[in-house]
Amino acid sequence: MEFRLKKLLSLINLKLDKVLMIGINGISGIGKTTIAKAIYNKISYHFQSTIFLTNVGENSRGHHLNLPQFQQLLDDASIGTYGRTKNKRVLLVVDDVDRLSQVEYLVKLRDSFSLRSRIIFTTRDRHLLNVAKLDASYESKGLTHEEAIHLFSWHAFKQTFPKEDYVGLVNHVVGYVKGHPLALKVLGSSLFGKTITEWKCILHKLRKNTHGEIYNELKVSFDGLTPTEQEIFLKVVCLLKGKDEESVSTILDSLGLGSESGIQVLHDMCLATISNNKLYMHDLLQQMGQKLIDENNPHEPSKRSRLQDSKDVYPRLTRNTGTEEIQKIQFSSAGFLKMPKLYSLMHLPLKSLPPNFPGDSLIFLDWSRSNIRQLWKDEYPRLTRNTGTEAIQKLLSPMHLPLKSLPPNFPGDSLILLDLSRSNIRQLWKGNKSLGNLKVMNLSYCQNLVKISKFPSMPALKILRLKGCKKLRSLPSSICELKCLECLWCSGCSNLEAFPEITEKMENLKELHLDETAIKELPSSIYHLTALEFLNLEHCKNLVSLPSGISKLEHLKSICLCACSKLKSLPPTPGRWNI
């Protein structure tokens, strides 16, 4: 790694007094992201502003990130708007660029950075490097034999060299994988603690599959999982990649799968990673999982539990050949027939759902970046508990809906997670609504959300996200009725001028994020947040004072006040606070 870093560092040339753009390319799993992160950590302190955007090509669960979405992503990171970085030395690293338009935008963006800024991006497409007019490029190659031995041994033996009795077997594995880091990690983890006999059995399986595909090495780890762990892996492949850890746990628990132990096993087996509180899976592992699904009844797609390809989906829905086994459908069609176990429907290019849509067992509905104009043309079908089906409707995620508000008859009795982030919604339900089982609500980056007149009844809600709702000016006083609320995010609500009076105790709220808002002061009743541990007020440029009642918060450990330029004094602060 040190040799590779030294080579890349020479291309970055920190002393050169100009803006440089460097590309890193290589095949999937070869270590592009690893070396990009390593160089980012090594040189970050040289720059005034540093941003690392991960998995750009996978930002929307398999959808390619188009240019407007890419621009929005950079803008959310305070990079994309011209002038913000004109006088700053910026380090911007963009991982997994997959479109020419994205590269062209980065080229254009470099003019807004000050001298000695650096833009680095990784890609699997060598062609993008050729057309990008880069200052330098670096090809990420496989590990040397010695490096491969060290990496594999670390995962197989928890040390950097093989055990004496295993040396020959290790050499066979390393020779087969040919320096591919991901395959070395996954295979090593799957062989940890195994006997020599078990090693030989697994190596025999690898040799028997002579296709030379990485798929064969990766599948060994999948085969070593329990049935429940395999199901969790496939759930991540199809539904959960890129979701935050809390939502993943909520979803898996609602499906009767052990979330905490299951996620930990995938992490320990190098089949999934957790970064910035989100669950990720490498492209190759996801492709392997999709291939496993396709291999289930390869010649009769209607008998598979999950359909992912439109060429398989369309005949099932137009020729009345769907079956009870289908649990997940991706893409779209004009009808939904004979699928009583259907629990997941994703990425619909439809304007509405048909009246005969079988919603009794639906637990996951994702309309991200769809063309849908309304939910159901007439009344919604009943999406409530149905004892005649195995699944219960618990999760609805209709993201990016062009709706102005959700209608009164919108189903919600069994919802556990409601995600309307980045939608066109302007307000929530008109009238009263009860969401008795809802635990997570995400309204982040709803740019047209102007007001929340009253929260619906949500007695189980734990997490409420309102990040980046720039037109939102106030919160309703009914927020005090969210008795189970543990975390409230209002970061980046730049027009939010006040926090409501807290008229009764909120005994579970531990985190309150009000950074980058227009808040001038906090309510004097803040002492009713009896469980508050973390308060974020960074970059609240209008904040003038803090109420004296804040000193009564016995559990408050940390308060962030960076860049609160109008704040002149503080009330008496306990010594336990980290300010």
Side-chain angles (χ1 to χ4, degrees), residues 95-362:
D95 182 37
D96 196 21
V97 169
D98 63 354
R99 288 194 172 190
L100 177 60
S101 59
Q102 296 167 359
V103 176
E104 290 173 338
Y105 185 70
L106 289 174
V107 172
K108 179 181 178 182
L109 193 64
R110 67 190 296 171
D111 294 333
S112 68
F113 291 177
S114 70
L115 297 178
R116 294 198 175 189
S117 292
R118 298 293 182 264
I119 302 172
I120 302 170
F121 71 87
T122 71
T123 182
R124 286 168 286 177
D125 188 349
R126 187 194 298 267
H127 174 67
L128 295 183
L129 302 182
N130 298 331
V131 299
K133 298 180 181 178
L134 299 174
D135 297 286
S137 62
Y138 176 85
E139 183 177 1
S140 187
K141 298 181 179 179
L143 303 180
T144 65
H145 184 77
E146 183 179 359
E147 289 172 332
I149 291 285
H150 288 169
L151 179 62
F152 178 79
S153 297
W154 179 254
H155 289 277
F157 306 109
K158 306 306 177 187
Q159 59 189 40
T160 57
F161 53 89
K163 292 182 179 180
E164 185 176 353
D165 294 341
Y166 289 78
V167 172
L169 293 170
V170 169
N171 283 322
H172 279 299
V173 173
V174 170
Y176 183 86
V177 174
K178 295 179 174 63
H180 195 285
L182 178 63
L184 289 165
K185 289 180 184 179
V186 172
L187 268 178
S189 299
S190 67
L191 290 168
F192 174 68
K194 297 286 196 298
T195 65
I196 289 179
T197 301
E198 289 172 316
W199 273 59
K200 289 179 177 178
C201 181
I202 291 173
L203 283 175
H204 176 71
K205 289 181 180 178
L206 289 176
R207 293 192 194 100
K208 190 175 180 181
N209 292 298
T210 57
H211 305 298
E213 299 177 0
I214 295 296
Y215 166 81
N216 298 319
E217 293 94 87
L218 302 182
K219 187 176 179 295
V220 169
S221 287
F222 178 83
D223 292 338
L225 300 174
T226 67
T228 298
E229 291 162 355
Q230 289 181 350
E231 186 60 27
I232 292 175
F233 176 85
L234 294 177
K235 289 286 190 295
V236 176
V237 167
C238 295
L239 299 174
L240 305 178
K241 180 181 176 183
K243 282 195 168 291
D244 63 273
E245 193 173 1
E246 294 93 340
S247 297
V248 170
S249 297
T250 299
I251 295 166
L252 292 178
D253 287 341
S254 72
L255 292 171
L257 301 170
S259 61
E260 187 173 348
S261 60
I263 294 172
Q264 187 61 47
V265 168
L266 296 188
H267 183 270
D268 292 344
M269 296 286 285
C270 295
L271 295 174
T273 57
I274 297 173
S275 177
N276 296 324
N277 198 38
K278 289 191 175 183
L279 185 66
Y280 292 106
M281 175 178 286
H282 196 280
D283 293 351
L284 284 177
L285 291 168
Q286 186 177 31
Q287 291 165 13
M288 183 265 288
Q290 291 167 341
K291 187 172 181 178
L292 284 169
I293 294 167
D294 292 343
E295 288 177 348
N296 178 19
N297 293 299
H299 302 299
E300 295 183 78
S302 62
K303 292 186 177 181
R304 299 178 196 162
S305 62
R306 300 164 176 88
L307 297 182
Q308 303 179 95
D309 195 327
S310 56
K311 68 180 174 58
D312 295 329
V313 174
Y314 190 77
R316 310 288 79 75
L317 301 178
T318 57
R319 299 174 190 169
N320 198 21
T321 57
T323 73
E324 293 186 358
E325 298 307 313
I326 296 177
Q327 300 172 2
K328 174 183 180 292
I329 295 181
Q330 194 169 0
F331 299 99
S332 66
S333 182
F336 302 86
L337 302 169
K338 300 172 70 172
M339 299 179 190
K341 295 182 183 179
L342 180 65
Y343 73 76
S344 174
L345 187 63
M346 302 174 65
H347 311 318
L348 293 171
L350 298 175
K351 293 184 178 180
S352 65
L353 289 179
N356 65 341
F357 179 76
D360 285 347
S361 62
L362 193 67

Side-chain angles (χ1 to χ4, degrees), residues 358-578:
D360 285 347
S361 62
L362 193 67
I363 66 168
F364 191 96
L365 180 56
D366 183 350
W367 278 319
S368 56
R369 293 172 176 83
S370 73
N371 294 320
I372 198 157
R373 292 292 182 268
Q374 65 185 83
L375 296 183
W376 278 267
K377 291 181 178 179
D378 301 308
E379 287 196 359
Y380 295 94
R382 288 182 56 81
L383 295 180
T384 55
R385 294 182 181 274
N386 185 332
T387 55
T389 61
E390 292 183 5
I392 298 172
Q393 185 271 340
K394 293 180 179 179
L395 178 71
L396 184 62
S397 180
M399 295 191 292
H400 307 283
L401 293 177
L403 297 174
K404 294 181 180 179
S405 65
L406 296 176
N409 65 337
F410 184 82
D413 293 342
S414 299
L415 291 180
I416 285 180
L417 187 150
L418 177 61
D419 191 339
L420 291 165
S421 58
R422 299 183 188 276
S423 71
N424 291 324
I425 197 163
R426 295 185 179 181
Q427 66 182 83
L428 296 182
W429 288 269
K430 297 178 180 178
N432 296 323
K433 187 67 185 176
S434 176
L435 301 172
N437 291 305
L438 192 69
K439 294 182 180 179
V440 181
M441 176 182 276
N442 190 0
L443 296 168
S444 296
Y445 303 105
C446 291
Q447 301 301 336
N448 294 318
L449 183 63
V450 177
K451 66 177 181 178
I452 301 174
S453 301
K454 188 181 189 305
F455 282 113
S457 175
M458 299 183 288
L461 191 71
K462 292 185 176 181
I463 299 172
L464 176 59
R465 295 190 180 94
L466 295 164
K467 294 174 64 175
C469 296
K470 296 182 179 180
K471 293 185 179 180
L472 185 65
R473 294 187 176 275
S474 63
L475 297 174
S477 58
S478 61
I479 195 169
C480 301
E481 298 172 9
L482 305 178
K483 297 298 185 182
C484 288
L485 191 65
E486 296 178 0
C487 185
L488 173 60
W489 293 79
C490 296
S491 307
C493 295
S494 53
N495 279 301
L496 184 64
E497 297 179 344
F499 194 85
E501 285 292 335
I502 307 160
T503 56
E504 48 190 294
K505 285 185 178 181
M506 296 182 71
E507 298 179 334
N508 289 295
L509 187 64
K510 297 179 181 179
E511 293 186 29
L512 178 57
H513 298 263
L514 297 171
D515 47 306
E516 297 185 46
T517 63
I519 280 181
K520 298 177 182 178
E521 60 183 5
L522 295 175
S524 59
S525 54
I526 194 171
Y527 59 86
H528 278 146
L529 304 181
T530 56
L532 193 65
E533 297 178 0
F534 179 75
L535 175 60
N536 190 353
L537 294 166
E538 285 187 354
H539 295 277
C540 289
K541 296 180 180 180
N542 294 331
L543 185 67
V544 176
S545 63
L546 294 177
S548 59
I550 200 170
S551 302
K552 299 178 181 180
L553 298 176
E554 297 180 356
H555 297 284
L556 187 61
K557 299 175 183 177
S558 180
I559 178 170
C560 299
L561 296 169
C562 177
C564 296
S565 54
K566 293 184 179 180
L567 184 64
K568 303 301 181 184
S569 62
L570 297 174
T573 57
R576 66 179 181 275
W577 285 7
N578 179 21

Side-chain angles (χ1 to χ4, degrees), residues 35-83:
I35 195 168
K37 285 182 178 178
I39 201 70
Y40 176 83
N41 292 332
K42 191 176 183 67
I43 67 176
S44 288
Y45 71 95
H46 289 285
F47 300 86
Q48 295 169 291
S49 181
T50 59
I51 303 291
F52 193 112
L53 298 178
T54 60
N55 296 316
V56 167
E58 285 291 319
N59 187 63
S60 300
R61 296 187 207 89
H63 283 289
H64 288 290
L65 200 68
N66 60 35
L67 184 57
Q69 295 159 359
F70 183 61
Q71 291 171 334
Q72 181 64 49
L73 190 63
L74 290 170
D75 190 49
D76 291 343
S78 298
I79 286 290
T81 303
Y82 186 89

